[in-house]
Amino acid sequence: MKILVTGGLGFIGSHTCVELAKEDNEVIIVDNLYNSKEEVLEKIEKISGKKFKLYKYDLKDKEKIKKVFEEEKNIEAVIHFAGYKAVGESVKKPLMYYSNNIITTTNLLEIMHEYNVKKFVFSSSATVYGEQETPKYVETMKRGETTSPYGTTKAMIEKILEDLYFSDNSWNISILRYFNPVGAHESGLIGEEPNGIPNNLMPYIMKVASGKLETLSIFGNDYPTPDGTGVRDYIHVVDLAKGHVQALKKMKQGLKVYNLGSGKGVSVLELVTTFEKVNNIKLNYKIAQRRPGDLPEYFADSQKALKELDWKTEKTIEDICRDAWNYEKNNA
Ligand code: NAD
Ligand code: UD1
């Protein structure tokens, strides 16, 4: 298959390009390098032994997207990763998020329609569930109240895709709701590189382990969870990447929504102690106040992806901790 991957040099996109190339797909990347580096291209070529064509274009520029479809002729499917993803920043700069995330998507869909390319995979997030009555989130639940403009862009795009499919059911659309993507490629060549001081747990652990930040604050130990700390469903980015390959392989006409998660909740303390054990490193941490807006616990019901995509996570929390640290050491 000839596949266009937007945001293909980013954290999840780069790992997905590698997995797609492994299955002999031809992969075209569009990325404006807003949150990635061009050297990632060489790295994914090195890992996979395949070549990728890169268009350094901004997807907000519709004419540029058109140029890609014109030049490439027979693109069969699009996986759309490109977008902004920092929750805190989206609260401060909502227009920047609405503009980049929504406009890139509608531009892309309009051009796809024009070129009669109707297979679309979208990077959504578990954040669209908001708070539910039970911590195990299943696709049949209604979307909840989002807690940030970032989350709202994901919910809005899901709605746009539903409306599009309703208007023209020749589309094949897979909405993938990621839980907490972490880890890195086992080669140590590609991984997650947040700018500045990280907000998310795993990147913060990396900075404390490497001595760049002093202490990890564990946000609350009085939640109604087994050890009192927050529980999430951490998914290794390579498993997540493989989920995209399966979503394309098993794609049927229609609009489908899938959770991509392990189905298992892991607490902050469990993640910290696993990291210490696997890597033989002592992490400095302290218990701090709860972070406003955090939910105590949620994880994926991953049965639908297993049944319909023949996909489940294979890597463990130990793999996640080892691979993330391996990447950090190689790139610090
Ligand atoms: P990332 O920032 O590492 O990758 C996104 C890529 O898109 C970057 O390389 C960036 O340069 C590019 N990009 C952004 N705006 C663009 C534009 N206008 N034109 C062209 N390229 C543009 O993010 P990621 O972690 O790989 O996430 C990929 C997708 O998955 C995002 O849509 C994100 O919201 C979603 N998602 C991520 C997580 C997570 O925890 N990482 C969780 C749920 C959903
Ligand atoms: C957040 C976003 C989600 C996004 C995801 C990216 C919200 C509501 N959700 O999820 O949309 O897709 O990041 O992975 O913002 N923690 C600490 N100390 C830290 C950092 C985090 O104890 O320094 C705890 C949090 O309280 C939480 C867990 O670690 O219990 C995971 O936090 P984080 O990695 O930020 O992800 P989420 O908040 O689950």
Side-chain angles (χ1 to χ4, degrees):
M1 246 194 180
K2 185 162 179 173
I3 302 162
L4 174 65
V5 178
T6 76
L9 295 186
F11 173 45
I12 306 170
S14 58
H15 290 82
T16 303
C17 287
V18 168
E19 296 305 317
L20 289 168
K22 259 195 202 165
E23 305 258 328
D24 279 337
N25 294 294
E26 186 183 345
V27 180
I28 315 297
I29 298 171
V30 176
D31 199 307
N32 65 353
L33 305 180
Y34 174 82
N35 197 33
S36 52
K37 296 191 182 119
E38 197 165 352
E39 65 203 45
V40 171
L41 185 67
E42 285 158 42
K43 293 182 178 171
I44 59 176
E45 288 182 342
K46 189 170 171 193
I47 297 170
S48 63
K50 304 269 169 61
K51 287 275 168 205
F52 299 89
K53 186 151 171 196
L54 169 66
Y55 289 87
K56 282 184 267 174
Y57 289 169
D58 190 322
L59 291 161
K60 277 200 286 195
D61 185 341
K62 206 166 158 186
E63 286 311 307
K64 289 274 172 54
I65 309 178
K66 204 168 172 165
K67 224 173 134 199
V68 176
F69 280 77
E70 199 53 54
E71 273 183 36
E72 294 300 331
K73 302 280 184 263
N74 47 356
I75 292 171
E76 286 169 76
V78 175
I79 306 183
H80 182 38
F81 292 106
Y84 297 156
K85 63 167 182 177
V87 175
E89 184 183 53
S90 80
V91 176
K92 292 190 189 113
K93 300 175 181 171
L95 292 181
M96 183 176 138
Y97 274 69
Y98 287 117
S99 158
N100 194 53
N101 292 6
I102 310 276
I103 293 172
T104 54
T105 309
T106 52
N107 275 349
L108 197 55
L109 293 167
E110 279 173 337
I111 303 292
M112 286 177 70
H113 176 79
E114 201 176 317
Y115 284 80
N116 202 29
V117 179
K118 293 197 169 171
K119 289 188 175 155
F120 189 71
V121 178
F122 175 61
S123 298
S124 191
S125 164
T127 196
V128 301
Y129 286 107
E131 189 170 4
Q132 301 281 342
E133 274 176 14
T134 55
K136 189 174 185 173
Y137 290 180
V138 60
E139 293 89 342
T140 48
M141 287 170 167
K142 278 211 169 91
R143 278 187 296 267
E145 189 78 36
T146 48
T147 51
S148 70
Y150 163 72
T152 308
T153 67
K154 293 296 174 191
M156 284 170 83
I157 294 168
E158 288 200 0
K159 185 73 186 120
I160 290 170
L161 292 170
E162 286 163 11
D163 290 345
L164 175 65
Y165 180 70
F166 185 76
S167 75
D168 172 2
N169 53 30
S170 66
W171 279 86
N172 306 248
I173 298 171
S174 290
I175 292 173
L176 306 180
R177 292 179 179 160
Y178 313 153
F179 280 67
N180 287 52
V182 284
H185 195 266
E186 62 180 12
S187 63
L189 289 173
I190 52 172
E192 188 172 14
E193 257 181 86
N195 287 325
I197 297 179
N199 289 306
N200 297 118
L201 179 60
M202 202 59 183
Y204 205 103
I205 290 179
M206 293 308 116
K207 298 298 166 219
V208 175
S210 60
K212 290 191 188 116
L213 291 171
E214 213 169 299
T215 311
L216 168 74
S217 291
I218 295 186
F219 298 143
N221 69 346
D222 56 354
Y223 282 112
T225 58
D227 64 21
T229 66
V231 168
R232 295 290 183 275
D233 186 339
Y234 297 95
I235 170 172
H236 194 296
V237 64
V238 171
D239 278 334
L240 185 59
K242 288 179 178 165
H244 293 76
V245 176
Q246 287 307 105
L248 272 184
K249 265 194 195 161
K250 303 277 178 179
M251 191 172 245
K252 289 195 202 101
Q253 196 194 346
L255 180 142
K256 302 277 185 185
V257 180
Y258 297 102
N259 283 344
L260 295 186
S262 72
K264 190 175 169 289
V266 170
S267 76
V268 177
L269 259 182
E270 270 180 275
L271 192 70
V272 166
T273 34
T274 308
F275 182 88
E276 292 186 319
K277 207 163 103 201
V278 168
N279 297 310
N280 199 21
I281 290 176
K282 187 88 198 79
L283 280 177
N284 256 338
Y285 67 83
K286 63 171 191 215
I287 304 298
Q289 293 272 328
R290 290 182 181 191
R291 182 171 65 177
D294 272 352
L295 294 173
E297 175 180 21
Y298 61 87
F299 51 90
D301 180 320
S302 48
Q303 287 307 305
K304 189 177 177 191
L306 177 63
K307 214 165 128 213
E308 295 185 19
L309 303 180
D310 191 21
W311 173 91
K312 63 175 168 42
T313 57
E314 284 162 1
K315 296 193 183 269
T316 62
I317 290 292
E318 284 78 10
D319 296 329
I320 286 172
C321 291
R322 192 193 50 244
D323 293 342
W325 180 234
N326 183 37
Y327 177 74
E328 181 70 25
K329 275 187 301 185
N330 278 347
N331 296 277

